[in-house]
Amino acid sequence: MRTGKHGLMTAAVTVVCAVTVLAAPGTAFADPGPAPSPGASSASPTASAPAAAPGRDLEAVRKKLDELYRTAASATEEYNAAEEKAQKQSAEIVDLAKKIVKGQERLDGLKDRAGAAARSQYRTGGLPDEARLMLSDDPADFLDGTDRVIQGQRATKGLLGELTRAQEDLKAYTADASAQFRKLEANRKAKATAQKKIEKQIAAAEKLESELEQEEKERLARLEREAQAKAQTAWLGSGILEDLDAEATERGRKAVEYATAQVGKPYQWGAEGPKAYDCSGLTSQAWVSAGQAIPRTSQQQWQQLKRVDIKDMRPGDLIIYFDDASHVGMYIGDGSVVHAPRPGRSITIAGAGTMPILGVVRPDTGTAPAE
């Protein structure tokens, strides 16, 4: 069915509007805001969590909380990846919509030219060439005119070929836009699924913590500090930092300065500043401030950035944690890292070995200054 210029323009505008709706921060996959109070929470995936009772095993509670927040962190990176893909696809759809409009305008112009050429041929082509030669008052002028007609026919043939190519381009743009819409919808669903998982795990952790008495909360905080100190001591005791004397590059120093300046700001999943951050939001924005764009998520940072040995790391490098690369911090020297830990915590400086290290990646491949 032939679609007019007005119809294609309307379709393009619809494409842009739809993209705006899908990508808008106020849709179903936006940040949920403050967590619900324990009494109002309907999410209770804590059947396997330790129940509130005097003399409970707080070490088991600590491990359960770590598990819940780790699952939330993994889902946060899934959400961030889907968000990044959705933004890219939205931009591609808008670009395709513009191409569709321009393509339709070009096609309409070619059709007008082809119609004019056809009408011209009709007006001059009513008699056979032999008859027009016999009736002509000036045979030489007729033959010259015949040559122009042949040239016109060739031009018309070229015009029709261009018209066909324009139609094919328009068809391809439309197909590409449809494909991008399908991908955008898939990522919208992935974001919604990840958001539900995040909210479920955070609600479960908050419910578990809310059931603790004040004295138990204080003991739990001590257990967390002791576990971190034990892990850091073991890491340092391995001798991993004995030969670590590499200095940061200029960009590395700027990234460290940015990241450490955020200490005290709250963790918020999906956030990239300036008021709050999640773990990869902090590291990616720190490097953007230093003039180096890097991937948004910790998994992408692990997959796409240059990997370096721990003994060769320098300030500004990123330490990726856990087997699923679900957490990241920035090494700042002296065995320490700055990172955004988890919901309910603020950006802080901690021992680089307090969590299981998967590896180290380097955003800036420049040479560090000589000693």
Side-chain angles (χ1 to χ4, degrees):
M1 180 176 67
R2 183 179 183 278
T3 303
K5 177 179 178 181
H6 177 74
L8 263 293
M9 181 68 76
T10 301
V13 172
T14 302
V15 167
V16 176
C17 291
V19 170
T20 303
V21 170
L22 287 174
T27 52
F29 45 83
D31 184 83
S37 63
S41 175
S42 60
S44 303
T46 55
S48 60
R56 81 174 77 230
D57 184 353
L58 286 182
E59 178 60 20
V61 173
R62 184 188 69 80
K63 290 181 178 179
K64 183 62 181 179
L65 287 171
D66 280 350
E67 177 188 337
L68 291 169
Y69 282 121
R70 280 259 298 109
T71 303
S74 181
T76 295
E77 294 305 278
E78 292 173 11
Y79 177 93
N80 291 336
E83 167 68 12
E84 189 173 42
K85 288 179 181 178
Q87 289 178 353
K88 180 180 178 181
Q89 286 152 3
S90 296
E92 289 175 354
I93 291 172
V94 170
D95 184 58
L96 285 167
K98 293 176 181 177
K99 288 182 178 179
I100 289 172
V101 172
K102 290 181 179 179
Q104 185 61 50
E105 290 174 347
R106 178 168 173 257
L107 187 60
D108 290 344
L110 289 170
K111 287 180 178 179
D112 289 342
R113 287 170 55 194
R119 289 190 295 273
S120 176
Q121 276 194 323
Y122 177 78
R123 287 194 300 270
T124 60
L127 292 172
D129 288 345
E130 297 84 352
R132 287 193 289 133
L133 177 59
M134 291 177 64
L135 296 173
S136 175
D137 294 332
D138 187 344
D141 183 62
F142 168 77
L143 292 174
D144 183 54
T146 300
D147 184 58
R148 287 197 299 271
V149 169
I150 292 173
Q151 291 176 3
Q153 289 173 338
R154 290 173 180 169
T156 300
K157 184 177 180 181
L159 180 62
L160 292 175
E162 190 177 356
L163 186 64
T164 300
R165 288 191 295 273
Q167 289 173 325
E168 291 172 349
D169 287 346
L170 193 59
K171 184 178 180 181
Y173 294 150
T174 304
D176 287 347
S178 296
Q180 290 300 329
F181 258 127
R182 288 192 293 272
K183 290 180 182 179
L184 184 62
E185 177 64 12
N187 278 305
R188 186 194 69 78
K189 291 179 180 178
K191 286 170 62 177
T193 298
Q195 177 180 329
K196 289 179 181 177
K197 186 187 295 185
I198 294 166
E199 293 171 342
K200 179 179 180 181
Q201 299 303 310
I202 292 175
E206 290 176 343
K207 182 176 186 296
L208 181 56
E209 289 182 295
S210 73
E211 294 171 347
L212 298 174
E213 300 293 339
Q214 183 60 35
E215 185 270 338
E216 289 179 312
K217 291 179 181 179
E218 292 172 357
R219 286 171 52 206
L220 181 62
R222 287 198 299 271
L223 283 174
E224 289 178 350
R225 290 194 297 270
E226 289 170 2
Q228 291 172 356
K230 182 178 179 181
Q232 178 72 352
T233 300
W235 186 66
L236 293 174
S238 69
I240 196 70
L241 301 183
E242 288 179 1
D243 298 323
L244 187 65
D245 57 4
E247 292 295 323
T249 61
E250 181 62 26
R251 281 183 172 176
R253 279 196 292 271
K254 289 181 179 179
V256 169
E257 288 172 2
Y258 180 97
T260 53
Q262 312 312 310
V263 169
K265 291 184 179 180
Y267 176 103
Q268 180 179 320
W269 65 267
E272 299 178 83
K275 295 182 179 180
Y277 299 82
D278 62 22
C279 66
S280 57
L282 176 64
T283 55
S284 61
Q285 288 305 303
W287 273 100
V288 165
S289 76
Q292 178 72 47
I294 66 172
R296 167 64 175 91
T297 71
S298 57
Q299 285 97 343
Q300 291 170 332
Q301 290 167 3
W302 173 243
Q303 292 167 3
Q304 299 178 31
L305 298 179
K306 179 184 177 181
R307 298 182 186 181
V308 297
D309 196 285
I310 292 178
K311 63 182 177 60
D312 296 323
M313 69 180 176
R314 64 194 184 198
D317 288 347
L318 306 182
I319 302 181
I320 309 297
Y321 294 98
F322 304 108
D323 290 342
D324 60 354
S326 59
H327 190 70
V328 60
M330 179 178 291
Y331 185 66
I332 60 174
D334 297 325
S336 297
V337 65
V338 58
H339 72 136
R342 64 168 175 81
R345 297 287 189 268
S346 300
I347 295 171
T348 188
I349 293 174
T354 56
M355 296 168 284
I357 296 176
L358 177 61
V360 179
V361 293
R362 177 164 294 165
D364 182 13
T365 56
T367 303
E371 293 280 334

